[in-house]
Amino acid sequence: YVGNTIKEVGIFDSTGNTTLTLNSGTETYDVGVGDEAIDLDGTKYYIEDATLSSILDGDNWSISFWTKRDTLSQHKGLVARYDSNQSPRCGFMIYIRADNNNKIRFDRRYSNTWLEMTSTISLQIDTWYHVVAVCHTGKLQLYMNGSFNIENTTSSAWNTPVSYNKIGVGQNLSITSSGTINMQDGDGYMDDLRFYDKALSATEISN
């Protein structure tokens, strides 16, 4: 991953420094996929990093993480960087929709609308899922458990840039509220969150 990983959040980055900042709630952990996982029950975090946020304003990047749900009753913000105060609005959201059979959604703004995409897999309680969201020029892709799941395309350019350096974790972070918008943080866990400065290939993800 050398040269292609911007940040790795196991809970710590490769230098041993905490990369997550608690925004609200209580900082708690549980058994994860490899070590400890962050508990997102009523808790929201953010990462503040100018280099990382500028990468996510660009065309080609990837976000990888493990997630597990312990309820199916709420929407759940996973990773987001959204500026609803800018015109046109810009940014992206990765989240779970409880009103759509608990599937992963990956959306990014272009023009005056969203390019939207929903996974074909419905998440079950107490089951870990590996998710990779890949952004290309004019294309979004989702991989689930190491396999390609779905993609969507547009001929329009992405709206950029977002005017702040924060990335929400366990919430849909907005410049206007620094909290969730349109949906609540839900119960669940996240482990091994990684950001890449390129669009990962299917081979790289499966490996």
Side-chain angles (χ1 to χ4, degrees):
Y1 299 159
V2 175
N4 294 320
T5 302
I6 303 303
K7 294 285 181 182
E8 294 187 18
V9 181
I11 299 302
F12 303 97
D13 65 14
S14 58
T15 63
N17 298 316
T18 301
T19 58
L20 291 176
T21 299
L22 185 67
N23 189 45
S24 65
T26 303
E27 188 172 5
T28 54
Y29 308 95
D30 205 336
V31 177
V33 176
D35 43 27
E36 288 186 322
I38 54 173
D39 187 346
L40 299 176
D41 292 6
T43 302
K44 298 184 283 288
Y45 298 85
Y46 66 84
I47 299 169
E48 188 165 15
D49 186 294
T51 301
L52 175 55
S53 60
S54 66
I55 293 293
L56 298 177
D57 281 338
D59 281 5
N60 298 290
W61 47 261
S62 304
I63 299 176
S64 168
F65 57 88
W66 289 86
T67 188
K68 180 179 75 169
R69 302 213 70 179
D70 52 14
T71 181
L72 300 179
S73 62
Q74 291 180 304
H75 296 325
K76 177 184 173 183
L78 294 169
V79 185
R81 175 169 163 72
Y82 175 50
D83 190 343
S84 61
N85 194 50
Q86 181 171 306
S87 181
R89 297 178 182 182
C90 53
F92 71 90
M93 294 183 184
I94 306 169
Y95 58 99
I96 299 170
R97 289 196 64 96
D99 62 353
N100 192 22
N101 296 317
N102 295 286
K103 297 177 179 179
I104 300 281
R105 281 281 296 268
F106 180 22
D107 304 339
R108 188 169 183 183
R109 293 288 296 193
Y110 73 96
S111 186
N112 290 310
T113 189
W114 293 94
L115 183 66
E116 300 176 338
M117 187 171 56
T118 303
S119 71
T120 62
I121 297 175
S122 295
L123 275 59
Q124 304 300 313
I125 292 176
D126 294 330
T127 301
W128 282 104
Y129 295 89
H130 185 238
V131 180
V132 183
V134 183
C135 183
H136 305 256
T137 301
K139 181 168 66 176
L140 300 179
Q141 295 178 313
L142 266 178
Y143 289 78
M144 301 285 292
N145 295 329
S147 298
F148 173 77
N149 185 258
I150 196 169
E151 70 180 22
N152 200 0
T153 61
T154 176
S155 58
S156 299
W158 304 119
N159 295 348
T160 55
V162 175
S163 60
Y164 62 104
N165 293 327
K166 292 182 180 179
I167 298 95
V169 177
Q171 63 175 319
N172 287 320
L173 191 68
S174 168
I175 184 65
T176 59
S177 64
S178 70
T180 56
I181 51 173
N182 299 327
M183 59 203 69
Q184 300 174 347
D185 56 302
D187 295 338
Y189 303 89
M190 180 180 288
D191 197 3
D192 197 22
L193 172 61
R194 304 184 183 198
F195 298 88
Y196 298 86
D197 62 351
K198 69 172 187 175
L200 294 177
S201 68
T203 300
E204 290 171 315
I205 293 169
S206 64
N207 290 336

